[in-house]
Amino acid sequence: MENVNAELLSGIYKLSKTGIEAINTVLPKVENSALREELTEQYNDYKKASDESERALMSCGEEPKDINPFAKAVMWGSVQLHTLADSKPDKIAEIMINGTTKGIIDLTKHMTTCSDALPENLAYADSFIKNEQRHIDNLKTFL
């Protein structure tokens, strides 16, 4: 049972770290104050989730693993490419919605494969997904 808990918590940790990296990459391109505020709120949520999942992993005796440098480089390059000619709010929102949706899919898969995890860890993952969905809904207003 400990392995499924660590796997689920690692999924949340990696997704939150990826979200932090994505926002750090895109935020310098954001001029719209309302979009900047939404992304800052999302960043703060990712930071909180990262810290909480890291503590939970450590209490399970696991060392949190950061996202790999290659994945960071690919994400950075993708953001640069997709915003090179257009960094208007709708384009930035679209990029963030796509990334957040991918994160929801990944964590949902983790929840399925880790269905034997402790109920509180499954509830935490479900709460993370609901929060991600709220951010997607907020970002849709910029499309």
Side-chain angles (χ1 to χ4, degrees):
M1 173 121 64
E2 212 50 49
N3 287 343
V4 293
N5 287 299
E7 183 180 335
L8 185 60
L9 292 167
S10 287
I12 295 169
Y13 180 78
K14 286 180 181 175
L15 287 174
S16 59
K17 287 299 220 179
T18 301
I20 288 169
E21 285 293 324
I23 291 172
N24 281 337
T25 302
V26 79
L27 209 52
K29 298 175 177 287
V30 177
E31 295 177 8
N32 180 289
S33 61
L35 179 56
R36 180 174 282 280
E37 187 176 313
E38 173 57 34
L39 292 176
T40 300
E41 181 183 331
Q42 191 172 12
Y43 176 93
N44 291 335
D45 287 344
Y46 284 139
K47 180 71 174 116
K48 181 180 176 192
S50 170
D51 292 345
E52 288 176 0
S53 57
E54 180 178 14
R55 278 192 298 278
L57 277 166
M58 306 250 320
S59 73
C60 290
E62 296 288 330
E63 188 70 31
K65 293 176 182 72
D66 207 358
I67 54 176
N68 81 41
F70 181 73
K72 286 182 188 181
V74 168
M75 180 180 42
W76 183 88
S78 177
V79 168
Q80 300 308 319
L81 179 66
H82 287 97
T83 59
L84 187 62
D86 183 4
S87 61
K88 290 185 267 190
D90 63 325
K91 186 62 172 180
I92 303 264
E94 180 182 349
I95 290 167
M96 294 304 298
I97 289 169
N98 287 336
T100 304
T101 300
K102 184 181 179 322
I104 289 172
I105 291 167
D106 289 348
L107 188 53
T108 301
K109 287 179 181 179
H110 276 313
M111 289 178 71
T112 301
T113 60
C114 300
S115 61
D116 291 339
L118 293 171
E120 60 263 31
N121 290 335
L122 290 168
Y124 180 52
D126 188 57
S127 173
F128 185 92
I129 288 172
K130 286 179 180 160
N131 200 37
E132 290 287 78
Q133 188 60 55
R134 181 178 58 81
H135 285 297
I136 288 171
D137 291 342
N138 292 345
L139 288 166
K140 284 179 183 177
T141 64
F142 296 96
L143 296 177

